[in-house]
Amino acid sequence: MSIAQTASSESELDASLDVLSRGASVLSHMSLDQRIELLRGCIEGVGAVSRDWVNAACEAKRIPRDSPARTEEVTAGPLATLRFLQLTLQTYQDIRVHGSPRLPAPVEHVSGQCRVPVFPTRQLYDGLLFRPMTAETWLHSSINPDAVSARGTERVLGRDVDPEVVAVLGAGNVSSIPATDALTMIFLERNVVALKMNPVNDYLGPYLQTGFRPLIDAGLLQIAYGGIESGKYFIDDHRTDRVHITGSIQSHNNIVWGTGQQGEQRRLENRPVLEKAITSELGNVSPWAVVPGRYSESELRSQVELIATSIVNNVSFNCIATKIILTSRDWPQRQRFYELLNELLRSIPLRYAYYPGASERFEKFSGRPAENPRRLPWTLLHDIDPAEAPHLLREESFTPVCAELVVDAESDVDFLYRCVDMMNEQIWGTLATNLTVTNDFQVRHAADLDDALRKLRYGTIAINQWAALSFALISPPWGGYPESSLADAQSGIGFVHNTFLLDRPEKTVLRGPLRTKPKPIWDSTHRHPERVAWDLLDLYRSPSMLRLPKLCISSFTG
């Protein structure tokens, strides 16, 4: 049941920080084996509460019991959280036995940069369940191929580093974000966490308290409620050492520089009001470029289904919801592509617009008021002029409006490079981008594609797949491209997840086929996705080959 929580009082917030101050001292002496037992306890706790967790989220978002959209609350909630816990457990066991995390495959050194395979992992039957998808993380050129996890491993082992108290300001849209943000700080960065729930989804707090009871009992986690004042209390208190926020760029700037004209003036003068370190994930105007080429009808449909999914998932209240689709004006299949996309969007039922301010943002970004502010239509704007509507490229909308940006290009390679320039220079954000590319292009123009990937300034680049999958896979680092600063934070500072503890990640490249078989459960056209999602969650809760037959059978019902 989804019940909004009463804001924590100052005395409760104060008591939480007292607990965490003591907990930091406890963590400083906690062995790997003790933390392994905490991970196991959290796996048991999250597994036990997962059904109630999902039901509460579906009730709050008014998702009907027979809707395939319920799957989103499984995969982006307890399932992703369990995957984090299991992969981190394996990393801890690898450190205990081998001295560092065991990578899925050897590191490649290309153009002076390490490219580290991060998916499929050796765990959770990834190679069987997600074949042929792969992901590799590209590191800063200063990192040695023989020591890609050296600093992260040292941090986990706690050598010469004392645990800190981190105020984590949770996101209100996706339930695994506050959970995995907190777990990243505790298990991968060896800190203790004051987690302030977002008022939009604070009904999840009791389920996180139950699932993470071992961490709370150990004094490593405290969960609080309330709005801006509760967050400010945690941020300002002397016992808090660091801040992490998943939210908007405006929220980040208000914390760092202050509000209003004074805050903007302080930003221009580089005089932050925040005197503590801050990390963040701050959203994106997420683009998807369809490189021109000859696609079969089934390949075109498959990619259209993924793009539609990226628009409608979670009512488009995602930082990685596709907002700009780039196509070539001279691409012969452009008309057919948009016929399929418009047809599919019209067939997908409208959803309850649960996130505050969605209807006002819809009017701003679509250019018309919503007929029903509670159920906003999936809206695709064709052939926009960026000069007439620059906000479509420069502001994250957080509403179900997507725009087509038509590119004039002389060839498919020219189109790709023009998209790289537009994404880097004209479209706001550095979190994630997506490319649809024919198999033929990937073979004939491999060097150009690799060059484009090197030039794209995004923390995640997905080829023939939606970048959101990289978030849910957990092993890849998740965050904005590391060129941001306090004054220009873009999509954020730092990374979360990253269960292989990679040092100085720059970007992750996720690759998938043009068609995925069987149909993945995140596809909006899957017929029975929730059943498959629960079978996958059972596998993550208690990995065993005996669970695979049931999961494989259900997977082919989509």
Side-chain angles (χ1 to χ4, degrees):
M1 187 178 210
S2 58
I3 301 176
Q5 302 299 304
T6 302
S8 301
S9 65
E10 283 197 9
S11 61
E12 290 171 326
L13 299 173
D14 186 71
S16 293
L17 291 174
D18 275 345
V19 169
L20 293 171
S21 295
R22 295 190 295 270
S25 178
V26 171
L27 181 58
S28 68
H29 299 94
M30 195 174 281
S31 67
L32 274 180
D33 285 342
Q34 288 173 310
R35 283 177 278 166
I36 284 173
E37 288 308 306
L38 290 176
L39 283 162
R40 288 174 173 154
C42 289
I43 290 169
E44 181 178 347
V46 171
V49 79
S50 59
R51 293 272 178 178
D52 291 337
W53 175 338
V54 169
N55 287 337
C58 289
E59 180 182 342
K61 296 182 180 182
R62 303 190 189 181
I63 301 175
R65 287 193 170 275
D66 60 349
S67 171
R70 287 178 56 89
T71 308
E72 299 169 7
E73 300 308 316
V74 183
T75 56
L79 191 150
T81 305
L82 283 170
R83 184 174 173 86
F84 184 104
L85 291 164
Q86 289 285 8
L87 293 180
T88 302
L89 174 62
Q90 185 61 52
T91 288
Y92 270 56
Q93 292 172 331
D94 285 348
I95 292 173
R96 182 176 61 181
V97 175
H98 305 286
S100 64
R102 294 180 67 208
L103 298 171
V107 176
E108 294 186 355
H109 202 252
V110 181
S111 301
Q113 187 175 38
C114 291
R115 298 183 180 183
V116 184
V118 292
F119 182 83
T121 71
R122 298 173 183 267
Q123 290 74 49
L124 304 177
Y125 307 99
D126 281 351
L128 173 65
L129 298 176
F130 292 94
R131 186 180 302 273
M133 282 185 282
T134 64
E136 62 181 15
T137 297
W138 300 10
L139 308 183
H140 188 273
S141 59
S142 65
I143 302 302
N144 189 299
D146 297 326
V148 295
S149 299
R151 296 175 187 169
T153 301
E154 289 293 304
R155 187 169 58 244
V156 165
L157 291 173
R159 294 170 180 165
D160 302 323
V161 180
D162 292 327
E164 295 182 313
V165 177
V166 183
V168 173
L169 308 182
N173 58 333
V174 175
S175 65
S176 63
I177 293 178
T180 57
D181 282 357
L183 293 172
T184 296
M185 298 302 157
I186 293 170
F187 287 109
L188 304 183
E189 299 195 5
R190 196 169 162 268
N191 295 312
V192 298
V193 168
L195 172 59
K196 206 282 290 183
M197 297 297 294
N198 191 298
V200 175
N201 63 359
D202 63 5
Y203 55 83
L204 293 168
Y207 305 105
L208 298 186
Q209 286 177 302
T210 301
F212 297 153
R213 176 54 57 186
L215 301 179
I216 294 172
D217 289 346
L220 309 187
L221 173 67
Q222 292 286 286
I223 299 176
Y225 306 95
I228 294 174
E229 290 305 314
S230 295
K232 190 174 186 304
Y233 189 95
F234 277 156
I235 292 168
D236 291 345
D237 193 276
H238 70 278
R239 289 164 290 186
T240 300
D241 301 295
R242 287 177 47 200
V243 179
H244 178 81
I245 177 175
T246 297
S248 69
I249 184 67
Q250 181 181 357
S251 296
H252 170 274
N253 287 343
N254 288 345
I255 291 170
V256 174
W257 309 105
T259 59
Q261 291 184 343
Q262 279 191 327
E264 178 60 16
Q265 187 63 35
R266 294 181 70 95
R267 187 182 73 83
L268 295 174
E269 296 172 357
N270 194 29
R271 294 187 297 111
V273 295
L274 181 70
E275 297 180 348
K276 301 172 182 179
I278 184 170
T279 52
S280 53
E281 194 265 83
L282 305 174
N284 203 48
V285 178
S286 298
W288 196 310
V290 183
V291 178
R294 183 60 194 171
Y295 298 86
S296 70
E297 180 73 4
S298 61
E299 289 171 343
L300 204 60
R301 284 184 178 273
S302 181
Q303 289 298 297
V304 163
E305 289 172 1
L306 283 175
I307 294 172
T309 297
S310 74
I311 295 171
V312 306
N313 181 279
N314 198 26
V315 207
S316 216
F317 301 141
N318 290 324
C319 56
I320 42 175
T322 296
K323 296 304 176 189
I324 300 290
I325 302 174
L326 298 98
T327 53
S328 174
R329 192 176 302 280
D330 296 329
W331 177 36
Q333 291 178 287
R334 176 172 161 245
Q335 181 177 350
R336 180 57 178 158
F337 170 81
Y338 282 110
E339 285 176 356
L340 291 171
L341 183 54
N342 281 310
E343 178 184 347
L344 181 52
L345 289 174
R346 284 194 298 268
S347 72
I348 298 173
L350 303 185
R351 304 261 297 274
Y352 174 67
Y354 70 88
Y355 213 87
S359 62
E360 291 82 3
R361 293 191 301 275
F362 177 86
E363 181 172 354
K364 175 181 178 179
F365 285 87
S366 70
R368 58 185 172 86
E371 293 182 8
N372 181 352
R374 292 298 187 182
R375 296 193 179 274
L376 303 174
W378 317 121
T379 300
L380 183 58
L381 307 176
H382 288 282
D383 199 0
I384 64 164
D385 182 351
E388 293 182 0
H391 58 287
L392 292 172
L393 277 65
R394 303 303 302 169
E395 298 177 36
E396 184 181 38
S397 68
F398 236 56
T399 200
V401 176
C402 181
E404 175 201 19
L405 182 60
V406 181
V407 179
D408 293 303
E410 297 179 358
S411 66
D412 48 5
V413 173
D414 182 47
F415 172 86
L416 176 62
Y417 280 111
R418 287 178 183 269
C419 286
V420 169
D421 290 341
M422 289 179 176
M423 290 176 180
N424 284 343
E425 306 301 336
Q426 298 182 37
I427 301 174
W428 181 82
T430 59
L431 183 62
T433 189
N434 313 270
L435 304 173
T436 289
V437 188
T438 63
N439 296 328
D440 179 64
F441 185 98
Q442 294 185 59
V443 173
R444 288 191 301 113
H445 302 295
D448 288 309
L449 180 57
D450 195 77
D451 183 49
L453 295 176
R454 283 199 303 271
K455 290 178 177 177
L456 280 167
R457 298 194 295 269
Y458 285 87
T460 297
I461 305 166
I463 299 175
N464 297 335
Q465 188 50 258
W466 183 25
L469 182 61
S470 189
F471 170 90
L473 293 177
I474 301 297
S475 53
W478 182 255
Y481 187 78
E483 65 172 3
S484 56
S485 64
L486 280 181
D488 184 17
Q490 290 282 314
S491 290
I493 300 169
F495 289 88
V496 293
H497 301 177
N498 188 23
T499 55
F500 288 115
L501 306 175
L502 301 179
D503 297 333
R504 300 195 69 180
E506 286 193 347
K507 67 183 67 171
T508 292
V509 179
L510 173 70
R511 302 175 192 264
L514 283 168
R515 296 179 62 201
T516 303
K517 292 184 177 181
K519 184 168 290 187
I521 54 176
W522 53 90
D523 191 312
S524 60
T525 65
H526 198 294
R527 291 177 296 176
H528 306 291
E530 187 180 2
R531 180 170 63 198
V532 185
W534 284 117
D535 288 344
L536 184 59
L537 185 142
D538 287 342
L539 177 71
Y540 286 0
R541 184 178 180 181
S542 181
S544 168
M545 289 191 67
L546 298 177
R547 297 184 182 274
L548 290 177
K550 181 183 178 185
L551 175 59
C552 291
I553 291 171
S554 65
S555 295
F556 282 93
T557 64

